[in-house]
Amino acid sequence: MRNNKNSPFTLVPYYLWIALFVIAPIILVVYYSLLDLNGNFTFANYQNFFTGVYLKMTLSSFWYAFLITVFSLLVSYPTAYLITKTKQKQLWLILIIIPSWINLLLKTYAFIGIFGMSGPINAVLKTIGIPEQQILFTDASFVFVAVYIFIPFMILPIFNALDKLNPALIYASRDLGASKLTTFRRVILPLTMNGVKSGIQAVFIPSLSLFMITRLIAGNRVITLGTAIEQQFLVTQNWGMGSTIAVFLILFMFIIMLLTGQKEKGASQNGKAK
């Protein structure tokens, strides 16, 4: 009973943090989105967003975020599954997590050297008689680097879901005559879907706002919402349009979180039963 009475007061720091660092910045972004270059109130920024240029940029952002998420999932799910079958699970997880500790800018510059005309990939191609290829500043190089960066964030939630899976359910499925593919499709995948959804959130949402990788790896050939925001704030100095793009980016992220949200029906039912 004492804990219940004191709980509202213990949540005060949490509410203050949310108000100062989540709600207040969003309100500020919305406020600037309603201003023109002269600081006058206007809805022109929102009208301009629905023009062909910005709609094309938005579709391009979603397309690249989709590709990054799909490739990350295709690599991460079997990798996470294999890790759960090894004896040294924690060791392999640490080896996967360690690269994410390295500064993003350093990893990006490393790939610039790897993909460059005088890099090791072109050196290998040259030794086997293949002419030097322009790997850097391409869509493929951008997607590859982005997938490499986001893979740990996809593997971890999937690994946690697979590791908590009761092996008895898999054995029961096999005993009932189900094939490996059927067992995966009807048992393993549905029971680990929450991990997949968490991984999708952790990869798809940040992929929409990438901007540094697009500049250094793709050479501005790839334009995302994050790149557009950076250009509006730092290049054209149009804070109103940059804030408008940021408002829509926040809305897109919120919608994605709703679509990939987890519904813990079992947990809520168990809580009621208790």
Side-chain angles (χ1 to χ4, degrees), residues 2-175:
R2 291 180 180 178
N3 293 334
N4 292 334
K5 290 181 179 180
N6 296 330
S7 59
F9 296 100
T10 59
L11 292 175
V12 169
Y14 169 77
Y15 291 138
L16 287 175
W17 180 275
I18 294 297
L20 291 175
F21 298 106
V22 178
I23 298 176
I26 292 176
I27 293 175
L28 191 61
V29 169
V30 174
Y31 169 74
Y32 276 109
S33 70
L34 298 173
L35 302 178
D36 59 14
L37 288 172
N38 298 320
N40 299 318
F41 181 83
T42 181
F43 285 104
N45 294 323
Y46 287 89
Q47 295 175 353
N48 293 333
F49 184 84
F50 290 99
T51 59
V53 175
Y54 291 103
L55 288 178
K56 183 179 179 181
M57 173 197 63
T58 302
L59 292 176
S60 176
S61 297
F62 272 89
W63 171 245
Y64 284 109
F66 172 77
L67 289 178
I68 294 168
T69 304
V70 168
F71 286 122
S72 298
L73 181 60
L74 291 176
V75 175
S76 299
Y77 202 103
T79 301
Y81 181 80
L82 290 175
I83 292 176
T84 59
K85 301 301 180 181
T86 61
K87 295 181 179 179
Q88 303 293 334
K89 299 178 184 178
Q90 301 304 322
L91 175 62
W92 285 104
L93 281 179
I94 291 175
L95 293 177
I96 291 172
I97 294 172
I98 285 177
S100 65
W101 296 348
I102 302 174
N103 184 271
L104 179 61
L105 187 61
L106 293 177
K107 290 188 287 188
T108 304
Y109 275 112
F111 276 105
I112 291 176
I114 294 172
F115 291 152
M117 296 298 291
S118 58
I121 294 180
N122 273 311
V124 172
L125 294 177
K126 191 175 180 179
T127 56
I128 59 178
I130 300 177
E132 294 181 344
Q133 303 294 320
Q134 181 60 50
I135 304 174
L136 198 62
F137 307 136
T138 60
D139 296 358
S141 63
F142 164 70
V143 173
F144 181 88
V145 174
V147 169
Y148 167 80
I149 290 171
F150 287 122
I151 272 180
F153 305 103
M154 180 72 79
I155 290 178
L156 288 177
I158 295 176
F159 169 82
N160 289 332
L162 287 169
D163 198 42
K164 294 177 182 178
L165 184 63
N166 188 352
L169 298 174
I170 301 176
Y171 298 147
S173 175
R174 300 303 303 274
D175 289 341

Side-chain angles (χ1 to χ4, degrees), residues 201-217:
Q201 286 185 3
V203 174
F204 192 91
I205 293 176
S207 298
L208 286 176
S209 56
L210 285 174
F211 67 93
M212 183 175 63
I213 299 176
T214 58
R215 283 188 175 277
L216 298 177
I217 300 297

Side-chain angles (χ1 to χ4, degrees), residues 170-229:
I170 301 176
Y171 298 147
S173 175
R174 300 303 303 274
D175 289 341
L176 292 173
S179 63
K180 292 183 178 180
L181 180 60
T182 302
T183 301
F184 172 77
R185 184 172 56 88
R186 301 293 297 273
V187 178
I188 299 176
L189 185 59
L191 293 176
T192 58
M193 188 54 66
N194 282 342
V196 173
K197 289 180 179 180
S198 297
I200 291 173
Q201 286 185 3
V203 174
F204 192 91
I205 293 176
S207 298
L208 286 176
S209 56
L210 285 174
F211 67 93
M212 183 175 63
I213 299 176
T214 58
R215 283 188 175 277
L216 298 177
I217 300 297
N220 283 337
R221 290 172 56 90
V222 176
I223 303 297
T224 63
L225 293 172
T227 306
I229 293 172

